[in-house]
Amino acid sequence: MIIGYDAKRIVRNGTGLGSYGRTLVNDIARVNPSLRLNLYAPDKGRDDLREQIITAPGLTFCYPKDCHLPLDKALWRSRGIVKDLKNDGVQLYHGLSGELPWGIRKSGIRSIVTIHDLIFLRHPEFYNWIDTKIYAWKFRQTIREADHIIAISECTKRDIMEFGHIGDNHISVIYQSCSPRFKACPEGEQEKIRLHYGLPQRFILNVGTIERRKNILLAVKALTDLPEDLSLVIIGRHTSYTNEVLDYVNTHGLNQRVFFLHGVPDEHLPALYAQAEAFVYPSLYEGFGIPIIEAISSGLPVVACTGSCLEEAGGPDSLYIAPDDAEGMAAAIRQVLKGAPGREARIERSRDYIRRFEGNDVASQVLDLYRSLL
């Protein structure tokens, strides 16, 4: 088989969609080294991300010819790529980030798209009006082109069926897997990273874009009911919501207990996870929540919020509270701090639970789907 992939996010996105693509492609290459996997990207993107793709005989990056301007690259990815796919003998194309090129169905090339979430339809209040219209149009265009859809959670599948008016026989739920690098991190590397960022000895951790939907202010509010030597480390891109959180921090005298880390390299994340005492993920709505899997893989207990798919990601031994309950958040965090009764057993059961998301199993499910379409 010759499989083509939309690799734009693989070479440009450090987390989220980029992590999904890199992990899946690497796992598929390991499970079936005889496959030819073509990664189609509008440009080479970031060296550090591209180099996370393993070296394998059948794995090749493919770029457009004579596309130098951003508009040319965008048009190639949305339409012009189909000609390249046909010339390269691609039998199946996988859109890894919710998009497929126009005309791929008419070309005779089979296609699969992974849809991660439809938050822009479920909660449009978190987006600019024009963005919701563009995303909604792309979603409807993509599901018309796709031969089959992968949803990364049952929650996302329900949203696709509701908003896309699609029967469940056209959708497969295949969870995403977590990179194996989160399972162990040398203690020397941990201390080096802690000193690099000037972090305290005791902290709970949050990873993700700092935006209103992620709701990190809830965890900040919970700090006032937690031990004074416990801090909160927030890793993510700075947004206008960050300023709102900072205002609360300053007003309530939490300056010495809340640490914001922006632009953290991907390779530093395992060491930061490994040193945390617990992981908090108070998001209002997610398609899956891969940071929860990364945290559990790193040996952390998790406190998250109800209302979307986070129970699917974290399993029954993580703790879940309402997304507006600061007291509940504090109480749940106290239950998972070091020394709390049952903490270690909770971590081990959660690790058992997330084995369903391990790479080879996920890759095998995706490969079975490829074969069924071909």
Side-chain angles (χ1 to χ4, degrees), residues 151-213:
I152 63 168
S153 68
E154 292 288 348
C155 177
T156 294
K157 178 180 178 179
R158 290 192 296 270
D159 284 350
I160 295 169
M161 292 174 65
E162 177 181 345
F163 292 107
H165 308 292
I166 297 174
D168 64 355
N169 57 315
H170 293 294
I171 309 170
S172 297
V173 175
I174 301 179
Y175 293 109
Q176 66 185 107
S177 58
C178 168
S179 171
R181 72 185 187 280
F182 291 99
K183 290 187 176 181
C185 182
E187 289 188 8
E189 178 67 11
Q190 293 180 35
E191 182 65 8
K192 176 183 173 182
I193 296 298
R194 188 184 70 80
L195 293 174
H196 174 76
Y197 291 107
L199 299 180
Q201 292 287 345
R202 290 191 74 193
F203 63 87
I204 53 178
L205 181 67
N206 171 264
V207 177
T209 304
I210 307 168
E211 58 182 316
R212 189 174 304 281
R213 176 174 58 86

Side-chain angles (χ1 to χ4, degrees), residues 276-338:
E277 200 160 325
F279 187 77
V280 290
Y281 204 65
S283 182
L284 294 165
Y285 206 87
E286 292 290 330
F288 182 60
I290 193 63
I292 288 178
I293 311 302
E294 295 171 351
I296 294 173
S297 295
S298 302
L300 299 183
V302 170
V303 177
C305 282
T306 57
S308 59
C309 64
L310 300 183
E311 292 94 336
E312 281 186 70
D317 289 286
S318 296
L319 298 179
Y320 307 94
I321 49 91
D324 58 354
D325 185 1
E327 290 184 5
M329 171 65 77
I333 291 172
R334 283 195 294 271
Q335 292 181 59
V336 298
L337 294 176
K338 289 180 179 178

Side-chain angles (χ1 to χ4, degrees), residues 131-268:
D131 287 342
T132 63
K133 298 302 179 184
I134 293 171
Y135 298 156
W137 180 84
K138 284 186 175 182
F139 164 64
R140 295 187 176 93
Q141 174 68 24
T142 292
I143 61 177
R144 283 195 292 268
E145 296 282 358
D147 290 305
H148 201 80
I149 297 168
I150 293 175
I152 63 168
S153 68
E154 292 288 348
C155 177
T156 294
K157 178 180 178 179
R158 290 192 296 270
D159 284 350
I160 295 169
M161 292 174 65
E162 177 181 345
F163 292 107
H165 308 292
I166 297 174
D168 64 355
N169 57 315
H170 293 294
I171 309 170
S172 297
V173 175
I174 301 179
Y175 293 109
Q176 66 185 107
S177 58
C178 168
S179 171
R181 72 185 187 280
F182 291 99
K183 290 187 176 181
C185 182
E187 289 188 8
E189 178 67 11
Q190 293 180 35
E191 182 65 8
K192 176 183 173 182
I193 296 298
R194 188 184 70 80
L195 293 174
H196 174 76
Y197 291 107
L199 299 180
Q201 292 287 345
R202 290 191 74 193
F203 63 87
I204 53 178
L205 181 67
N206 171 264
V207 177
T209 304
I210 307 168
E211 58 182 316
R212 189 174 304 281
R213 176 174 58 86
K214 301 288 188 179
N215 195 32
I216 192 57
L217 184 57
L218 185 73
V220 174
K221 291 178 178 179
L223 269 185
T224 58
D225 291 328
L226 292 169
E228 291 187 2
D229 66 337
L230 184 70
S231 297
L232 170 63
V233 175
I234 303 168
I235 300 175
R237 180 172 57 85
H238 189 285
T239 66
S240 58
Y241 178 67
T242 310
N243 297 328
E244 183 178 330
V245 178
L246 277 168
D247 287 343
Y248 186 93
V249 167
N250 294 331
T251 302
H252 291 79
L254 296 171
N255 312 64
Q256 302 302 313
R257 298 181 64 190
V258 178
F259 294 78
F260 290 90
L261 304 184
H262 308 301
V264 173
D266 189 64
E267 61 268 22
H268 288 182

